[in-house]
Amino acid sequence: MKVKAAITETDGNFYLTVLATTPFIGWGSGKTVEEAVQSFYRDRRIRQGEFEINGKLADVPPRSEQERVFELYLYQGQENYLGEVQPFERQAFEILGAFPGAKAERTQDIIQIELGEYGNETGVIIVLAHDLLEVRFPDIEWIGSHSPLSISKTWRRLEGEQVQTIHLLNFIHEAQAERRKTFQQCKYCNQLNPPGWMYQSDVCDSCAEKHLGVVH
């Protein structure tokens, strides 16, 4: 099963604590995110009957800007050990270490990391897999006047050798800079908004209702 964990930065170390489990089943620590995750899997000898998940796991956001959220795999009936870290997992740990507030979800072969939401100027989505790195921008589609649908659109996709040679953090910073360029400023409230929240290039939806009498 998967459980969400918070990785908290404290005095230069990262302490990993599982959220929403009863009873508390331990923590891992290290000088990097990767070490903290490995420590958790190595030291938590979790066997069948030693723990229960208390109800549905909540999608708990980071409790402070210094925390990251990551999904762990817990297997009842056997020891937990991360084993050999795959290159795309190491990239994920590097991203989590560099960006407080990051939220990561994963399947066995894919990790998706969110850095900020749709309304965040530097909000991007990173998809990692074996020999694959894709950066996507969060977006919305309006399926009704009051019904936005959350989607994402590919900004750039790298495969094969490109993934191994790219300077990962520089690549993400470049994506965030491009994301910021898509935002537009409202002439009434002076707020920067993504295009989906703009009535026209210089008027946001809220100010269009307030100042122009537009009814959505």
Side-chain angles (χ1 to χ4, degrees), residues 89-151:
E89 293 175 313
R90 184 163 284 113
Q91 288 177 321
F93 295 142
E94 182 180 359
I95 295 169
L96 289 169
F99 293 94
K103 293 193 295 182
E105 298 185 13
R106 69 170 298 173
T107 64
Q108 181 175 346
D109 300 316
I110 297 174
I111 300 175
Q112 177 173 300
I113 303 177
E114 295 184 11
L115 305 180
E117 299 177 345
Y118 175 66
N120 189 312
E121 292 178 58
T122 56
V124 298
I125 299 168
I126 300 110
V127 179
L128 301 164
H130 297 282
D131 293 326
L132 171 68
L133 169 60
E134 182 172 296
V135 177
R136 305 180 66 89
F137 290 169
D139 204 348
I140 57 173
E141 284 186 356
W142 292 95
I143 56 177
S145 58
H146 297 283
S147 302
L149 176 66
S150 295
I151 61 172

Side-chain angles (χ1 to χ4, degrees), residues 6-39:
I7 303 174
T8 306
E9 182 178 5
T10 305
D11 297 330
N13 290 328
F14 294 87
Y15 296 92
L16 183 151
T17 304
V18 176
L19 304 177
T21 58
T22 301
F24 172 72
I25 59 175
W27 50 273
S29 64
K31 294 182 179 180
T32 66
V33 171
E34 181 178 333
E35 288 180 3
V37 175
Q38 287 181 313
S39 170

Side-chain angles (χ1 to χ4, degrees), residues 63-209:
R63 289 168 293 177
S64 75
E65 65 177 12
Q66 291 302 312
E67 289 188 339
R68 295 84 164 148
V69 171
F70 190 63
E71 289 186 338
L72 302 174
Y73 283 91
L74 302 182
Y75 301 93
Q76 289 179 294
Q78 58 183 288
E79 294 182 356
N80 289 274
Y81 183 64
L82 189 62
E84 183 179 354
V85 178
Q86 299 299 311
F88 80 104
E89 293 175 313
R90 184 163 284 113
Q91 288 177 321
F93 295 142
E94 182 180 359
I95 295 169
L96 289 169
F99 293 94
K103 293 193 295 182
E105 298 185 13
R106 69 170 298 173
T107 64
Q108 181 175 346
D109 300 316
I110 297 174
I111 300 175
Q112 177 173 300
I113 303 177
E114 295 184 11
L115 305 180
E117 299 177 345
Y118 175 66
N120 189 312
E121 292 178 58
T122 56
V124 298
I125 299 168
I126 300 110
V127 179
L128 301 164
H130 297 282
D131 293 326
L132 171 68
L133 169 60
E134 182 172 296
V135 177
R136 305 180 66 89
F137 290 169
D139 204 348
I140 57 173
E141 284 186 356
W142 292 95
I143 56 177
S145 58
H146 297 283
S147 302
L149 176 66
S150 295
I151 61 172
S152 63
K153 295 182 178 179
T154 300
W155 173 68
R156 192 174 298 174
R157 178 186 179 101
L158 305 179
E159 297 184 38
E161 186 177 342
Q162 290 179 307
V163 178
Q164 308 307 322
T165 58
I166 193 73
H167 190 294
L168 182 60
L169 299 185
N170 285 350
F171 183 63
I172 294 173
H173 288 308
E174 180 185 353
Q176 291 179 317
E178 291 300 314
R179 167 71 173 165
R180 188 182 291 109
K181 291 177 183 178
T182 68
F183 276 56
Q184 299 165 309
Q185 186 173 26
C186 175
K187 66 181 181 181
Y188 292 106
C189 66
N190 294 320
Q191 295 295 313
L192 285 171
N193 294 290
W197 288 354
M198 299 294 288
Y199 173 69
Q200 54 192 42
S201 62
D202 60 350
V203 180
C204 70
D205 286 335
S206 295
C207 287
E209 292 183 356

